[in-house]
Amino acid sequence: MVVRIGVVWIGMLMLLWWISIVTMGKEDDMVYQDPNQPVAVRVKDLLSRMTLDEKIGQMVQIDRSVASPDVMKNYFIGSILSGGGSVPREQASAADWVNMVNEFQNGSLSTRLGIPMIYGIDAVHGHNNVYNATIFPHNVGLGATRDPELLRRIGEATALEVRATGIPYTFAPCIAVCRDPRWGRCYESYSEDPKLVQNMTDIIIGLQGEIPKESRKGVPYIAGKNKVAACAKHFVGDGGTTRGRNENNTIIDRHGLLGIHMPAYYDSIIKGVATVMVSYSSWNGEKMHANREMVTGFLKGTLKFKGFVISDWQGIDRINPPLQPNYTYSVQAGVLAGIDMVMIPFNYTEFISDLKYLVKHKVIPMNRIDDAVSRILLVKFTLRLFENPLADLSLVNEVGKQEHRDIAREAVRKSLVLLKNGKSENDPLLPLPKKVAKLLVAGSHADNLGYQCGGWTIAWQGFSGNNETSGTTILGAIKSTVDKDTDVVYVEDPDDEFLGSNNFNYAIVVVGEPPYTETAGDSDTLTMADPGPTVISNVCGKIKCIVIIISGRPIVIEPYMSSIDALVAAWLPGTEGQGITDVLFGDYQFTGNLPRTWFKTVDQLPMNIGDSHYDPLFPFGFGLTANSAVAARSAMSDGVATTRPYISMIVIFVVMLMIYQGKLLI
């Protein structure tokens, strides 16, 4: 009996010992899932457990149109995006977005290691793909505000609306320095001036949170569940291509590239930006997507960027000329250049197969794959995706909320630049009286929310009309601002007979460009959409008129100046048209200043502040107040450095870089 009891106890002790060993082993296995461990430890532990297939999958980003839970599980896909207009359904609610993202995420979580995917979207002026979201002015208008603190608040509001739809990652901000308004993406640039673009990178602090002083420089930082990972784009020189052609060649020496196009990247990295997107463009003939010197050498090496580098949409596909297709080489060139995550977005099976082949045949070394995956995991751990992989519905009411629309309205009124006020100093037209017998509103852009918002709104190329999302048109804002007894008459293109038979006190003419995005917006003529010139000529020839230009850049206006009484550059203001009438009718002052030079003729282009041939219609930094006929601030007193010669910018950049790398003590 004693022997039996002894055997039982020995058996129980052995069982307890075995359980403890198994439990300890499981605890070791869970290191990467322990939020109390340092991120670097979690990354190293998880990476050590991953197969080549799992690693390559993390480097893949696909569009939601080809994603499914099974695809996420079977191919270990690391990321999904919504391209412009790629939505769960038409007029999808925030809840629709959350449910879609979570469905895909459940596929990722069902994999062997349960690595969550990261969902990305182009929230470039608010959460612009989403129905009823707040649409802020495009970047060119924000550049006119000269207000970094406003940019922080816009970033905070945008982050909340993006998170409300279950998405933790936005491909913003664009920190291009647009040097030629003929470029179809010029409105995505804050300015032609690198110093102004640097100042506007404070939007990253709004999107991600302010990086703590003790944080390591260059390491991504995202403050919490109400913040998103940001993306500085497009690295580097995308705003300097010849004649402003999209995806083309930027011809400039290294000093010029560093002095004009690089400084904002330094600021973005210092502020903890999580990701950087590579540009479609080339630098002196070499595609940036294949430029190892700049992506690995300068961005990751010199600037010590620790987040992940992502390609643009089908970016590696564009490495080879169209007549020389060689996708395997493109994969090789892009990954070896230093691209960590590839926005494929459709043909993921070929990419996975080609990359696996290149690694197995030692064309791409394993340490390059490990570097890429480590950077991707670092951002995912920093976002705390492993702790909170699934979104809930707690933030759905953040989308389009009034507090965010109020910020957007403030941004609109601060972005407006008054270019002319009266045909003489003694005869100003602005501010407009709210109470008159009858006023005329004319022009194609007065009652068109899509035109007002521009490209990257609901659809990739934007939209026309008032039915695709909610907001206030300029006409609607005028009607709600003027006195109840004022008769507001809207005719898009009034003829001579109509103009002659009505007794209008004044007219507001709203004209400009139609929506466009990327190459579709490239223009050698920069003319306003018809019948804009005719409307200006007809209306302003007979009635005192104020002309409001809705455009993503300066356009041809000089031939019409003599007939215009007052002129306002309103850029692409977004959904909150009330911000325009706030200033037109004198409730607020004009404070905006030109973020870029307004040319006389397109033959002068490219022309930027500091150029030897500088002879603008309105100089960089120009802006009137309604009670003044002189520039509120001149270009040189604006606190913004000129860009030529480059030497001052380069010296500042080099000194800052030395301080950043610890080579210069102050």
Side-chain angles (χ1 to χ4, degrees):
M1 187 71 175
V2 173
V3 173
R4 287 183 180 179
I5 293 173
V7 170
V8 170
W9 274 106
I10 291 171
M12 290 179 65
L13 288 171
M14 290 182 67
L15 178 62
L16 289 170
W17 174 80
W18 181 81
I19 290 173
S20 68
I21 292 296
V22 170
T23 303
M24 288 176 60
K26 286 192 174 181
E27 287 176 355
D28 288 342
D29 286 345
M30 304 296 283
V31 168
Y32 73 91
Q33 291 186 353
D34 182 356
N36 296 316
Q37 294 290 334
V39 168
V41 172
R42 300 177 75 184
V43 169
K44 183 177 180 181
D45 178 72
L46 179 51
L47 190 70
S48 70
R49 303 175 189 281
M50 296 173 70
T51 65
L52 178 59
D53 286 339
E54 289 167 332
K55 291 176 179 179
I56 289 175
Q58 285 300 302
M59 298 172 66
V60 173
Q61 185 179 70
I62 60 175
D63 187 74
R64 57 152 292 282
S65 61
V66 297
S68 71
D70 284 342
V71 167
M72 304 306 292
K73 177 181 179 180
N74 296 334
Y75 292 93
F76 312 105
I77 302 297
S79 183
I80 303 177
L81 84 151
S82 276
S86 183
V87 298
R89 64 177 182 84
E90 189 175 349
Q91 298 188 351
S93 68
D96 291 329
W97 282 90
V98 168
N99 292 333
M100 178 195 70
V101 173
N102 283 349
E103 182 182 4
F104 295 140
Q105 188 69 280
N106 281 323
S108 297
L109 297 177
S110 68
T111 56
R112 180 178 71 95
L113 296 170
I115 303 173
M117 65 86 182
I118 181 172
Y119 201 106
I121 197 165
D122 282 290
V124 298
H125 63 138
H127 201 4
N128 44 265
N129 272 294
V130 174
Y131 179 69
N132 279 341
T134 307
I135 307 300
F136 295 91
H138 267 297
N139 286 356
V140 65
L142 298 181
T145 71
R146 306 296 205 276
D147 191 343
E149 189 274 334
L150 172 64
L151 269 288
R152 289 194 190 198
R153 289 188 282 126
I154 289 172
E156 290 170 355
T158 300
L160 277 170
E161 297 205 15
V162 172
R163 278 291 197 172
T165 57
I167 298 172
Y169 179 25
T170 175
F171 308 122
C174 177
I175 54 174
V177 181
C178 176
R179 303 291 286 175
D180 193 324
R182 291 173 290 189
W183 186 34
R185 305 192 76 157
C186 202
Y187 64 80
E188 297 183 56
S189 168
Y190 295 109
S191 178
E192 70 190 44
D193 186 88
K195 181 62 177 176
L196 179 51
V197 176
Q198 279 183 282
N199 291 341
M200 296 296 104
T201 59
D202 270 13
I203 195 170
I204 293 168
I205 298 172
L207 290 167
Q208 296 192 165
E210 187 154 14
I211 188 167
K213 291 181 179 179
E214 66 273 12
S215 292
R216 287 177 55 207
K217 294 181 176 68
V219 178
Y221 176 78
I222 299 106
K225 290 178 65 176
N226 291 345
K227 299 296 183 180
V228 295
C231 180
K233 66 183 188 182
H234 308 84
F235 188 85
V236 60
D238 50 338
T241 58
T242 302
R243 298 185 65 84
R245 291 192 177 96
N246 192 44
E247 303 185 23
N248 212 265
N249 191 23
T250 297
I251 301 174
I252 194 171
D253 61 23
R254 189 178 183 87
H255 292 298
L257 188 76
L258 297 184
I260 293 177
H261 299 285
M262 192 66 74
Y265 285 95
Y266 168 82
D267 283 63
S268 298
I269 292 166
I270 286 292
K271 290 167 184 172
V273 73
T275 72
V276 171
M277 184 181 291
V278 182
S279 176
Y280 285 133
S281 59
S282 302
W283 175 39
N284 296 334
E286 183 175 0
K287 294 277 190 180
M288 286 306 306
H289 272 76
N291 194 322
R292 179 176 171 80
E293 176 194 357
M294 294 308 299
V295 177
T296 295
F298 199 87
L299 177 61
K300 293 182 175 180
T302 305
L303 295 185
K304 299 188 181 301
F305 174 61
K306 302 301 183 186
F308 70 76
V309 176
I310 188 169
S311 80
D312 208 333
W313 177 278
Q314 295 182 326
I316 65 168
D317 300 57
R318 291 160 161 85
I319 290 175
N320 272 322
L323 298 179
Q324 301 175 30
N326 186 340
Y327 190 68
T328 303
Y329 171 75
S330 295
V331 173
Q332 173 186 332
V335 173
L336 286 178
I339 295 170
D340 303 310
M341 181 177 284
V342 178
M343 191 185 293
I344 292 175
F346 305 120
N347 194 15
Y348 58 92
T349 55
E350 183 179 1
F351 172 83
I352 291 170
S353 175
D354 284 358
L355 183 52
K356 191 172 181 179
Y357 172 88
L358 291 166
V359 174
K360 287 193 169 182
H361 287 79
K362 303 188 185 307
V363 178
I364 294 177
M366 197 65 208
N367 61 6
R368 170 75 273 269
I369 302 300
D370 287 347
D371 172 62
V373 178
S374 295
R375 290 168 176 272
I376 293 165
L377 294 177
L378 171 65
V379 172
K380 290 186 175 185
F381 280 121
T382 303
L383 270 167
R384 302 188 74 79
L385 281 179
F386 285 79
E387 288 70 56
N388 302 291
L390 298 173
D392 57 40
L393 302 178
S394 61
L395 296 175
V396 293
N397 291 330
E398 295 290 334
V399 174
K401 68 187 287 189
Q402 189 58 49
E403 290 87 342
H404 298 167
R405 293 185 182 275
D406 290 343
I407 297 171
R409 181 172 174 175
E410 176 189 350
V412 172
R413 61 177 177 254
K414 287 183 174 180
S415 71
L416 302 179
V417 181
L418 181 57
L419 299 174
K420 182 179 181 179
N421 188 18
K423 292 184 177 177
S424 70
E425 289 188 27
N426 300 321
D427 187 26
L429 180 56
L430 298 174
L432 297 172
K434 295 180 181 178
K435 187 172 184 178
V436 295
K438 184 184 291 189
L439 71 86
L440 172 67
V441 180
S444 54
H445 290 57
D447 190 33
N448 193 314
L449 195 62
Y451 281 14
Q452 202 170 293
C453 292
W456 291 115
T457 310
I458 303 301
W460 176 43
Q461 293 291 334
F463 67 93
S464 177
N466 299 326
N467 298 324
E468 300 301 317
T469 194
S470 61
T472 304
T473 67
I474 297 169
L475 176 63
I478 292 168
K479 288 181 175 180
S480 67
T481 301
V482 298
D483 187 86
K484 61 181 177 60
D485 294 325
T486 296
D487 185 13
V488 178
V489 179
Y490 172 61
V491 179
E492 183 175 330
D493 185 11
D495 58 24
D496 289 342
E497 181 181 353
F498 175 83
L499 293 169
S501 62
N502 286 272
N503 187 22
F504 293 107
N505 296 90
Y506 57 82
I508 300 173
V509 177
V510 192
V511 292
E513 297 184 297
Y516 55 80
T517 303
E518 300 189 44
T519 305
D522 287 355
S523 172
D524 287 329
T525 59
L526 294 178
T527 52
M528 70 179 69
D530 287 329
T534 303
V535 176
I536 292 174
S537 177
N538 290 346
V539 175
C540 297
K542 297 175 178 62
I543 307 169
K544 275 195 172 184
C545 75
I546 174 171
V547 173
I548 301 173
I549 302 294
I550 304 295
S551 68
R553 53 199 167 185
I555 57 176
V556 173
I557 194 66
E558 196 273 340
Y560 323 116
M561 287 299 297
S562 60
S563 63
I564 294 171
D565 291 278
L567 178 65
V568 174
W571 314 110
L572 299 170
T575 53
E576 305 313 302
Q578 199 78 44
I580 293 176
T581 53
D582 283 345
V583 182
L584 284 187
F585 292 94
D587 294 325
Y588 292 84
Q589 277 283 348
F590 282 93
T591 58
N593 298 96
L594 285 181
R596 46 183 324 102
T597 300
W598 204 296
F599 58 86
K600 293 177 180 175
T601 71
V602 291
D603 295 335
Q604 296 174 297
L605 301 176
M607 178 175 63
N608 298 283
I609 179 71
D611 286 352
S612 59
H613 66 289
Y614 200 69
D615 182 28
L617 180 64
F618 300 106
F620 173 89
F622 182 87
L624 305 176
T625 60
N627 56 9
S628 172
V630 296
R633 289 185 288 176
S634 71
M636 296 307 294
S637 66
D638 196 29
V640 181
T642 59
T643 53
R644 295 196 186 192
Y646 306 132
I647 187 66
S648 60
M649 286 298 303
I650 296 169
V651 169
I652 293 170
F653 180 73
V654 170
V655 170
M656 291 174 73
L657 187 58
M658 291 174 69
I659 294 170
Y660 170 55
Q661 294 184 319
K663 295 178 181 178
L664 185 64
L665 299 177
I666 57 171

